[in-house]
Amino acid sequence: VLRCWLAMGGKEDTLRRRYYNQDYYEDESDEDQDEQEFLMRDEPSDNLAEWVGVTVEGGRVTRLIWYVSGIGEPLMGTIPAEIGALDGLTYLSLWGNEICGHLPSEIGRLTSLEHLDLHYNDITGEVPSTLANLTNLRTLDLSDNNFDTDVPSDYLDTKEEVQAFLALAQDQSRRLRVIKISNTTKGKTGMVTELDWSGASLTGTIPAEIGALDGLTYLCLYNNLICGHLPSEIGRLTSLKYLYLHCNRLEGPLPAELGALTALTVLYLANNSFTGEIPSTLANLTNLEKLSLYSNNFDTGVPSDTIQGEELQNFLGPFRKLVRIEELEAENENLKAENEKFKAENEELRHFKAKYEELKAREM
C-alpha cells in the first residue's frame, strides 16, 4: 500500500492518522459518516488502518479511497503494478486526481473488486484486457481520461452493464467509436443506448452478454471481422431500432429470437455467411422499414439489394402468412388435445354410468 501511495505522488509525511471533521458535520446521521471530510493529524502512523483513505478489515486492505475534493491533496503519479497484490480490495476510488500513465494490467488480479472509479484523471494508453477478469465488478467509471481505447462517457451502475462492456471491450483491438449514456431511459441512470464499432477491425464472436444491454436502441458493428453465430440473446434488446451487422463473417442460421425485436426499423445482415432458412418470426417486425439479407448462403431466396417500402412488405408477406398458418396449426393442435381430453372424460363418464346402472340393478 505504501508503494502504491508513494508511486502516485504521496509522501511519507502525508500519510497521517485520519479523523473526521465532526464540527463541520455535527448534524449528519451515522449513515452519512462516509461522506465526511478527512482531516490529517500531525504525526505519521505505522498502523495501516489509520492512513487516510485506507480501510482494513480482517487484516486485509478492502477499500482505497482518495479524491481531491474530499481530502484536499491530489495524487499525481502512476498506478503501480503492485496494486495487483491488494487482492482483498472490494472498493477502489481514485477519481478527481492527477494520476497519469497507463492503467497496469495487474489490476485484473483484483478479482474481489466490486466498485472501480478512476474518472477525471489523466490516464492514458489502452484499457487492459485483464479488466475482463473482474467478474464481481458492479460499478465502473473510467470517463474523463485520455485512454486510447474509447470508454463509456459516464458511470455504469449495474453489474449487467459493466460485465457486458468488459466482455465487449476485452480485445484491445476493439474501438468504441460512439457510446451515449441516457439518464432517463426506463428511469435508470447510466444505461447504454448506442454502440457504434463500425470499421474497427473487431475480431472474435458477439458475446451472449450483449443481451444485458437492454437499453440499446442503436447497434452498429458493420465492416469488421466478427465471426461465429449471432447469439439468441440478441432477442433481449427489445428497445433496438437500428441493427447493422453487414460486412462481417457471421455464420450459421439466424436466431428465431430476432422476431422479438419488434421496435426494429433497420436490419442490415448482408455480406456475411449466414445459412439455413429465414426465420418466419421476421414477420413480427411490423415497424421494419429497411432490410438487407443479400450475399449470404440462405436456403431461402432473398432480394439482391436492400429493400424497403412495398418491396419489403411483399417479401415479408409470405412469412406473415406462414406465421398465421403456424398459429392456426398450433390452435388446431390445441383443439385436438382438448378433443382427446373430452373423449377421455366422456369415456370415464360412461364407465361411471355403467357402474351406477349395475349397482342399481343389484339393489332391485
Side-chain angles (χ1 to χ4, degrees), residues 202-206 225-230 248-251 272:
L202 302 188
T203 58
T205 61
I206 298 176
L225 303 172
I226 302 171
C227 60
H229 290 204
L230 184 59
N248 278 287
R249 298 178 180 178
L250 292 164
E251 59 188 10
N272 280 286

Side-chain angles (χ1 to χ4, degrees), residues 291 303-317:
L291 174 67
S304 59
D305 205 344
T306 301
I307 56 174
Q308 56 187 317
E310 184 178 354
E311 189 177 4
L312 173 60
Q313 299 309 313
N314 291 339
F315 177 74
L316 293 179

Side-chain angles (χ1 to χ4, degrees), residues 54-91:
V54 180
T55 299
V56 178
E57 298 175 281
R60 306 182 76 190
V61 176
T62 58
R63 295 164 68 96
L64 292 181
I65 303 174
W66 189 294
Y67 48 94
V68 67
S69 61
I71 297 176
E73 183 176 333
L75 298 173
M76 302 177 64
T78 60
I79 298 177
E82 285 82 356
I83 193 77
L86 302 179
D87 55 5
L89 274 182
T90 61
Y91 198 106

Side-chain angles (χ1 to χ4, degrees), residues 203-346:
T203 58
T205 61
I206 298 176
E209 289 86 350
I210 191 73
L213 301 179
D214 57 2
L216 277 181
T217 61
Y218 183 98
L219 178 58
C220 185
L221 302 176
Y222 75 87
N223 196 22
N224 283 291
L225 303 172
I226 302 171
C227 60
H229 290 204
L230 184 59
S232 61
E233 287 79 3
I234 197 83
R236 298 179 187 172
L237 308 182
T238 53
S239 298
L240 201 62
K241 294 182 179 180
Y242 304 91
L243 179 57
Y244 299 96
L245 299 177
H246 54 295
C247 299
N248 278 287
R249 298 178 180 178
L250 292 164
E251 59 188 10
L254 294 179
E257 288 79 4
L258 274 176
L261 307 182
T262 53
L264 210 58
T265 60
V266 176
L267 176 59
Y268 282 10
L269 301 174
N271 290 296
N272 280 286
S273 297
F274 289 118
T275 57
E277 299 285 342
I278 303 295
S280 61
T281 53
L282 289 191
N284 298 329
L285 306 183
T286 55
N287 290 303
L288 200 62
E289 298 175 1
K290 292 184 180 181
L291 174 67
S292 72
L293 298 170
Y294 60 89
S295 296
N296 280 287
N297 298 310
F298 292 118
D299 296 342
T300 308
V302 297
S304 59
D305 205 344
T306 301
I307 56 174
Q308 56 187 317
E310 184 178 354
E311 189 177 4
L312 173 60
Q313 299 309 313
N314 291 339
F315 177 74
L316 293 179
F319 294 102
R320 290 175 178 146
K321 291 179 181 177
L322 181 58
V323 167
R324 183 55 185 154
I325 291 172
E326 290 172 348
E327 289 174 348
L328 290 173
E329 288 178 346
E331 290 175 7
N332 186 47
E333 290 300 318
N334 288 335
L335 288 173
K336 285 182 180 179
E338 288 293 327
N339 187 45
E340 290 299 321
K341 182 180 178 181
F342 175 77
K343 285 181 179 179
E345 291 174 349
N346 191 44

Side-chain angles (χ1 to χ4, degrees), residues 3-251:
R3 172 65 190 275
C4 287
W5 253 210
L6 294 181
M8 288 185 284
K11 300 180 178 64
E12 289 186 71
D13 60 1
T14 66
L15 299 176
R16 311 292 188 179
R17 295 181 185 274
R18 62 180 176 179
Y19 70 99
Y20 293 118
N21 186 351
Q22 299 289 355
D23 294 334
Y24 187 79
Y25 289 99
E26 62 181 354
D27 295 329
E28 298 294 332
S29 62
D30 290 341
E31 62 186 27
D32 294 323
Q33 294 295 308
D34 286 342
E35 301 299 325
Q36 297 176 2
E37 285 188 347
F38 288 117
L39 295 181
M40 301 183 193
R41 298 189 188 278
D42 291 334
E43 69 278 12
S45 173
D46 294 329
N47 183 355
L48 199 64
E50 293 182 341
W51 289 4
V52 173
V54 180
T55 299
V56 178
E57 298 175 281
R60 306 182 76 190
V61 176
T62 58
R63 295 164 68 96
L64 292 181
I65 303 174
W66 189 294
Y67 48 94
V68 67
S69 61
I71 297 176
E73 183 176 333
L75 298 173
M76 302 177 64
T78 60
I79 298 177
E82 285 82 356
I83 193 77
L86 302 179
D87 55 5
L89 274 182
T90 61
Y91 198 106
L92 178 59
S93 178
L94 303 175
W95 68 271
N97 286 286
E98 298 176 22
I99 298 172
C100 59
H102 291 199
L103 189 58
S105 61
E106 287 79 3
I107 201 165
R109 298 178 185 173
L110 306 181
T111 54
S112 297
L113 203 60
E114 298 178 3
H115 306 276
L116 177 59
D117 189 350
L118 301 176
H119 81 277
Y120 207 70
N121 280 286
D122 192 25
I123 304 173
T124 58
E126 300 281 356
V127 173
S129 60
T130 55
L131 281 187
N133 299 333
L134 307 183
T135 55
N136 290 306
L137 204 60
R138 295 189 286 115
T139 65
L140 175 67
D141 196 346
L142 301 176
S143 62
D144 293 303
N145 281 284
N146 290 302
F147 288 111
D148 293 342
T149 306
D150 292 332
V151 298
S153 59
D154 208 340
Y155 176 64
L156 299 182
D157 68 344
T158 70
K159 185 173 182 178
E160 291 76 15
E161 289 174 351
V162 171
Q163 294 304 318
F165 169 72
L166 294 182
L168 289 167
Q170 62 181 308
D171 185 339
Q172 292 185 6
S173 68
R174 300 179 178 184
R175 295 292 183 271
L176 184 57
R177 302 290 184 180
V178 177
I179 180 167
K180 293 186 179 179
I181 305 297
S182 168
N183 290 324
T184 56
T185 305
K186 294 183 182 178
K188 178 180 173 185
T189 61
M191 179 171 281
V192 179
T193 58
E194 300 192 11
L195 287 179
D196 186 346
W197 287 354
S198 57
S201 300
L202 302 188
T203 58
T205 61
I206 298 176
E209 289 86 350
I210 191 73
L213 301 179
D214 57 2
L216 277 181
T217 61
Y218 183 98
L219 178 58
C220 185
L221 302 176
Y222 75 87
N223 196 22
N224 283 291
L225 303 172
I226 302 171
C227 60
H229 290 204
L230 184 59
S232 61
E233 287 79 3
I234 197 83
R236 298 179 187 172
L237 308 182
T238 53
S239 298
L240 201 62
K241 294 182 179 180
Y242 304 91
L243 179 57
Y244 299 96
L245 299 177
H246 54 295
C247 299
N248 278 287
R249 298 178 180 178
L250 292 164
E251 59 188 10

